Amino acid sequence: MRIFFCGDVMTGRGIDQILPSPSKPTLHETFIKDARDYVFLAESVSGKVPRQVADEYIWGDALDVWRQRVPDVKIMNLETTITTSDDLMEGKGVNYRMHPQNKSVLAPANFQVASVANNHILDWGHHGLRDTLAHLRELGIQAVGAGENFDEVRAPVIIDGNPRLLIFALAMESSGVPFEWAASAERYGIFICQSLELREVHGLGELIAKYRLSNDLVILSVHWGGNWGYSVSQEECAFAHALIDVAKVDVVHGHSSHHARPIEIYKNKLIIYGCGDFINDYEGIRQNSQYRGDLVLMYFSDWSESGQLQNLEMVCLQVHKMKLRLAPSEDVVWLKDRLNREGKSLGVALGVKDQNTLFVSNNHLFRK
């Protein structure tokens, strides 16, 4: 089975403004009050961005990469609401939404699963969350990590196959999620994990054991950590290892950072500490530009029927004119070198092949 992972897909704000039916552009941010200004920022560095674009536009070269590599399952973190709700979550500062009439923009990417446990899914209140879940169902995308009550947010998406997949999703307060967003027995919300302590891992292990069958592949999608910075803390590393050792997780699908962070292959299991953003409207913003958030990775992982990781490759794209294109070769090399330097202690060495693809060059890490 080939499973595709990516980080945050944010089709609101500036992206929403170039789609056929944009939301009201009014923002409640400290510095920018009109969503169209994010389009103007992109144009200031990349040139004219078209308006009223087709659904395929923002995905750009990613569509060809998917056609060539043919993943069986695609998993993302959807970091915007799909709603016309005006129930603004006060105090957030940044509130994302995409107009429901633009929801078909998600269709060309053909995602099967969307983690919705993150720090923007309740930007427009419980009404906005309910709308988002309903629109995802209409698109045939299974949402995980949010819902109408405590039991629903903890339940996995199950995908039959060889192996069968169990996909759970949660968010941590370190990503900016208010704990008040946690679902209760009678209240819409998301699945929140309060800390990186071992007791949390044991609780997750008990939850997973309720659903897991022999040879299932367990994926835990985790929205954690800050937006910027490559380093992986000892606490994050220990937590990820415990998820594998104790909770029997096979993939830790991490996201929240606006740029790719290091990966680790631990006991033939995959840990992505931060996928980086996949779709966003940050083009032209100079703050934190040293992290190269314009460079985007597509993660393709191959698994045996017994749930063993056999291969991992990452295709490097770049955000340009608010769509994805294959990254220039010198930028691919830059990202490879940066991830190797920042993730050296994790023992994974990356190389470049076919100009745009990063691969694990020390392939002895894959148990045969």
Side-chain angles (χ1 to χ4, degrees):
M1 177 177 284
R2 173 165 289 176
I3 306 173
F4 169 82
F5 297 98
C6 69
D8 301 348
V9 171
M10 198 291 287
T11 52
R13 208 168 60 180
I15 300 295
D16 187 52
Q17 293 302 308
I18 68 169
L19 297 174
S21 300
S23 304
K24 292 178 289 187
T26 302
L27 299 178
H28 303 270
E29 302 176 8
T30 302
F31 299 108
I32 296 184
K33 304 299 183 181
D34 190 312
R36 291 169 293 191
D37 287 345
Y38 283 95
V39 185
F40 300 148
L41 280 169
E43 291 181 324
S44 71
V45 296
S46 301
K48 183 67 176 176
V49 174
R51 309 301 199 270
Q52 304 283 305
V53 299
D55 290 339
E56 294 79 11
Y57 176 82
I58 64 171
W59 308 105
D61 289 340
L63 295 175
D64 286 335
V65 175
W66 280 321
R67 281 190 285 265
Q68 293 162 6
R69 291 181 173 258
V70 197
D72 298 288
V73 178
K74 298 177 186 173
I75 303 171
M76 66 161 166
N77 174 59
L78 180 65
E79 201 175 35
T80 192
T81 56
I82 308 172
T83 185
T84 56
S85 170
D86 285 323
D87 183 17
L88 176 72
M89 186 65 69
E90 298 288 349
K92 274 295 273 53
V94 177
N95 301 74
Y96 292 149
R97 65 178 169 183
M98 173 174 68
H99 197 286
Q101 292 182 16
N102 290 331
K103 66 185 178 186
S104 61
V105 75
L106 297 174
N110 193 31
F111 287 103
Q112 285 77 35
V113 182
S115 166
V116 286
N118 58 60
N119 62 315
H120 285 288
I121 206 64
L122 276 159
D123 279 356
W124 297 92
H126 294 106
H127 186 183
L129 173 57
R130 288 193 295 270
D131 287 349
T132 302
L133 296 177
H135 290 305
L136 288 174
R137 283 193 294 270
E138 291 175 10
L139 289 166
I141 300 172
Q142 299 187 73
V144 60
E148 65 179 63
N149 57 53
F150 183 71
D151 291 332
E152 185 173 304
V153 304
R154 290 161 55 89
V157 164
I158 301 175
I159 296 180
D160 288 328
N162 291 312
R164 191 180 79 147
L165 305 184
L166 295 183
I167 304 163
F168 298 83
L170 58 82
M172 294 188 170
E173 290 183 85
S174 61
S175 67
V177 177
F179 187 70
E180 294 74 23
W181 287 16
S184 68
E186 300 176 347
R187 183 183 65 196
Y188 266 86
I190 65 175
F191 187 6
I192 292 182
C193 181
Q194 289 186 266
S195 73
L196 297 174
E197 296 178 8
L198 188 59
R199 61 181 173 83
E200 298 283 1
V201 176
H202 284 292
L204 290 168
E206 292 172 2
L207 172 65
I208 291 168
K210 292 179 182 178
Y211 295 93
R212 185 170 192 161
L213 303 177
S214 177
N215 290 330
D216 280 352
L217 187 75
V218 177
I219 298 168
L220 181 62
S221 193
V222 183
H223 202 67
W224 63 349
N227 293 149
W228 306 104
Y230 291 98
S231 63
V232 177
S233 70
Q234 291 183 347
E235 292 79 11
E236 287 175 316
C237 188
F239 186 78
H241 290 183
L243 287 172
I244 292 167
D245 292 333
V246 178
K248 306 305 179 185
V249 169
D250 297 291
V251 182
V252 179
H253 169 219
H255 36 81
S256 178
S257 59
H258 290 325
H259 56 84
R261 297 175 70 204
I263 62 172
E264 184 177 11
I265 297 171
Y266 174 73
K267 297 184 178 179
N268 203 230
K269 308 301 181 183
L270 176 60
I271 304 170
I272 307 172
Y273 284 100
C275 287
D277 287 343
F278 195 60
I279 296 288
N280 66 37
D281 64 352
Y282 301 148
E283 188 179 357
I285 298 176
R286 291 178 172 82
Q287 187 178 14
N288 295 306
S289 60
Q290 71 271 24
Y291 293 106
R292 296 301 307 274
D294 61 309
L295 299 179
V296 169
L297 288 181
M298 306 176 74
Y299 296 78
F300 294 90
S301 60
D302 295 333
W303 300 83
S304 70
E305 291 185 10
S306 60
Q308 298 299 314
L309 180 61
Q310 296 179 313
N311 191 44
L312 174 68
E313 294 186 348
M314 294 151 284
V315 177
C316 189
L317 306 175
Q318 183 181 44
V319 179
H320 181 72
K321 296 186 178 181
M322 303 189 96
K323 69 175 180 179
L324 298 174
R325 68 176 184 182
L326 291 173
S329 57
E330 61 270 23
D331 290 329
V332 179
V333 172
W334 181 92
L335 184 58
K336 180 262 296 182
D337 291 342
R338 189 64 184 258
L339 291 177
N340 280 341
R341 182 168 70 249
E342 300 292 342
K344 184 177 181 180
S345 64
L346 300 174
V348 174
L350 300 177
V352 178
K353 69 176 186 179
D354 302 327
Q355 292 189 314
N356 296 96
T357 302
L358 303 182
F359 71 102
V360 179
S361 58
N362 46 349
N363 60 8
H364 65 273
L365 295 172
F366 302 111
R367 187 164 65 244
K368 303 301 182 182

